[in-house]
């Protein structure tokens, strides 16, 4: 750790009345690598197999989560195939809720208004495809839209649009009331 980080952490401990001896433990904990969480987007991938590959555990909030992943995430078969990706459980829950809320009428057109880089969009696209629906994913930044296209490659029925979501009515493709589900 750089000196300024050590000093800032020491001062932070002191400011809340904590023992300075804790600094060594705080620094050691900060050096521990994180263990990412996977979202298994595709229902075609067996969640138990993904957990075994990743040497992880079931998620607490999402049935499609694998927590405490060990090793090189990019080397996992489920990640290389595009059936899973790194995504925290909070993001998974948002996508599950967006796809799970009952709607009146048809449930065929879904919109993700701020979709880049694509984690929640991939989760939504998988849910939409499983129900015969289509996801339109909007991202204002072209480089993030490219990440989004990569994330959605398994769902060719999904559309990626580079646009400003605050100005949808100015877009040629947009029709007011044209979406059954919207994530913003």
């Amino acid at each position: 750790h750089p000196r300024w980080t050590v000093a800032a952490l020491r001062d932070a401990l002191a400011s809340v009345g904590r023992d300075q001896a804790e600094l060594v433990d705080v620094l050691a904990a900060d050096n521990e690598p994180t263990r990412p969480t996977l979202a298994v987007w595709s229902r075609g991938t067996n969640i138990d197999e993904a957990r075994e590959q990743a040497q992880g555990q079931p998620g607490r909030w999402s049935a499609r989560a694998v927590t405490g992943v060990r090793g090189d995430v990019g080397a996992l078969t489920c990640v290389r195939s595009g059936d899973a990706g790194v995504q925290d459980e909070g993001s998974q829950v948002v996508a599950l809720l967006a796809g799970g809320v009952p709607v009146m009428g048809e449930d065929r057109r879904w919109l993700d208004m701020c979709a880049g880089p694509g984690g929640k969009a991939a989760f939504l696209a998988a849910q939409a495809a499983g129900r015969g629906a289509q996801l339109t994913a909007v991202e204002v930044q072209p480089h993030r839209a490219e990440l989004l296209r990569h994330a959605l490659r398994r769902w060719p029925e999904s559309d990626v649009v580079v646009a400003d979501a605050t100005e949808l009515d100015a877009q040629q493709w947009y029709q007011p009331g044209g979406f059954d589900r919207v994530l913003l």
Side-chain angles (χ1 to χ4, degrees):
H1 292 89
R3 287 181 199 259
W4 70 267
T5 302
V6 174
L9 288 171
R10 183 188 62 240
D11 292 347
L13 287 171
S15 73
V16 292
R18 302 291 294 262
D19 186 346
Q20 298 298 302
E22 290 182 66
L23 182 59
V24 172
D25 292 336
V26 169
L27 294 170
D30 189 50
N31 280 335
E32 287 294 316
T34 61
R35 290 196 177 152
T37 298
L38 292 182
V40 181
W41 295 312
S42 175
R43 298 231 182 258
T45 296
N46 182 298
I47 190 77
D48 293 326
E49 289 175 18
R51 284 188 191 118
E52 187 176 317
Q53 282 179 34
Q55 301 174 36
Q57 298 82 40
R60 181 174 179 190
W61 306 108
S62 169
R64 305 300 297 168
V66 177
T67 63
V69 174
R70 297 173 189 261
D72 179 5
V73 174
L76 297 173
T77 304
C78 60
V79 172
R80 288 191 2 246
S81 70
D83 291 329
V86 174
Q87 184 179 55
D88 65 89
E89 274 194 276
S91 294
Q92 292 180 45
V93 169
V94 167
L96 285 169
L97 289 171
V101 174
V103 296
M104 296 186 65
E106 290 189 346
D107 190 15
R108 303 183 50 79
R109 296 193 65 217
W110 297 15
L111 176 65
D112 185 343
M113 292 178 69
C114 299
K120 285 186 283 298
F123 214 111
L124 286 171
Q127 291 180 82
R131 297 186 214 165
Q134 177 194 8
L135 175 70
T136 298
V138 178
E139 174 54 48
V140 70
Q141 298 295 328
H143 70 280
R144 288 173 58 90
E146 283 306 312
L147 296 171
L148 182 55
R149 282 185 185 90
H150 181 74
L152 297 180
R153 69 190 182 281
R154 303 261 300 144
W155 300 279
E157 63 278 2
S158 297
D159 290 327
V160 175
V161 178
V162 179
D164 184 342
T166 65
E167 299 175 357
L168 286 182
D169 53 353
Q171 307 300 319
Q172 295 286 340
W173 54 269
Y174 179 75
Q175 296 176 4
F179 291 95
D180 306 304
R181 293 180 186 273
V182 177
L183 176 63
L184 175 60

